[in-house]
Amino acid sequence: MTGTAFIVAFALGAAALALWALVRLPSLAPASIRGALLHVGASLVCMHLAVPMGLTRAAESGTTIG
């Protein structure tokens, strides 16, 4: 599996999980647009921290993608 195919599959899986959570657990959804924007902001902060750390660990372990 190429790196691009993995990223597409990962993104589709994440979208499917988000849709499932929205349908299955509607009480956990933000009640307002402000709450939704706070969730988006929090996810961007987490992504900003997690992606470089994951790439660094992958580089240290010798793992290659693509």
Side-chain angles (χ1 to χ4, degrees), residues 23-51:
V23 171
R24 181 75 173 100
L25 306 164
S27 63
L28 295 178
S32 67
I33 190 70
R34 182 177 178 184
L37 290 174
L38 286 173
H39 281 182
V40 170
S43 68
L44 289 173
V45 168
C46 290
M47 183 179 62
H48 182 71
L49 297 173
V51 170

Side-chain angles (χ1 to χ4, degrees), residues 4-27:
T4 303
F6 174 76
I7 291 171
V8 169
F10 189 83
L12 290 174
L17 285 172
L19 182 61
W20 174 83
L22 179 65
V23 171
R24 181 75 173 100
L25 306 164
S27 63

